[in-house]
Amino acid sequence: MAFCQIVLSSKIIDDIVSNNPDSVQQHIDNNPRDPIPIPMDDPNPQLLWPVSSKHLYHGQINRDSPIQSGTSPIIDTRLISDLRWFSRSTPHEDNRVCFDEEYKDLFGMPQPTFHFQLSKRDSEEAELMVDEMSRVATTLGGYLPGSEPRILP
């Protein structure tokens, strides 16, 4: 999985304004000191596209994570979008979960240990996935400092 967070560009904000004139104007009228023309109750973006023959991964754009960077908590979350891309993993018998009866987790259950490694092909596809996510992210805006694209375990 790859993840990053972006701050929406002024062009995207302008598009939101021009495509939603009534709700934006109502927000501006009711909140004249708010510098962001997006209504506070505006629905979060929820975009998903599936795996296809052209893209061997699926992507999601939404706004449901806390801000991941070390920046100030005063950032208005209406300007932030999360991008998540998920790549495939070819099944391999060495990728497995083992349970250790000697060590217990917080609930007294056997501790799970995950053994996992991507194949060379899967790693190459993950790199292509991050490149694609980066292209989409920079089309939407700039990276939130500290939340640039990265592959998560």
Side-chain angles (χ1 to χ4, degrees), residues 6-144:
I6 58 102
V7 179
L8 295 174
S9 71
S10 57
K11 181 191 179 318
I12 298 291
I13 301 299
D14 292 344
D15 287 347
I16 291 170
V17 170
S18 64
N19 290 314
N20 300 284
D22 294 336
S23 63
V24 168
Q25 190 58 53
Q26 181 180 7
H27 175 74
I28 292 169
D29 291 345
N30 292 337
N31 303 278
R33 296 183 58 187
D34 188 349
I36 300 168
I38 300 171
M40 292 293 206
D41 61 352
D42 195 52
N44 292 338
Q46 297 292 330
L47 304 163
L48 171 120
W49 53 96
V51 173
S52 69
S53 59
K54 183 179 176 187
H55 300 283
L56 301 176
Y57 38 82
H58 84 268
Q60 301 174 2
I61 300 175
N62 50 38
R63 185 174 60 233
D64 63 1
S65 291
I67 293 174
Q68 299 293 315
S69 72
T71 59
S72 172
I74 62 169
I75 295 173
D76 194 313
T77 58
R78 293 174 291 171
L79 300 176
I80 307 299
S81 287
D82 307 335
L83 285 75
R84 291 178 184 82
W85 265 232
F86 298 85
S87 63
R88 66 183 179 169
S89 172
T90 305
H92 191 275
E93 65 186 25
D94 290 337
N95 292 340
R96 65 194 184 285
V97 179
C98 297
F99 295 93
D100 190 330
E101 293 290 337
E102 183 177 346
Y103 300 102
K104 307 292 183 186
D105 67 13
L106 294 174
F107 301 102
M109 302 295 293
Q111 174 182 301
T113 301
F114 295 85
H115 302 272
F116 180 79
Q117 186 168 1
L118 288 173
S119 69
K120 184 176 191 259
R121 184 185 78 186
D122 292 345
S123 292
E124 291 167 353
E125 288 178 3
E127 288 180 30
L128 293 172
M129 173 188 71
V130 172
D131 290 345
E132 174 77 11
M133 183 181 73
S134 296
R135 281 191 293 277
V136 172
T138 56
T139 299
L140 295 173
Y143 298 117
L144 184 66

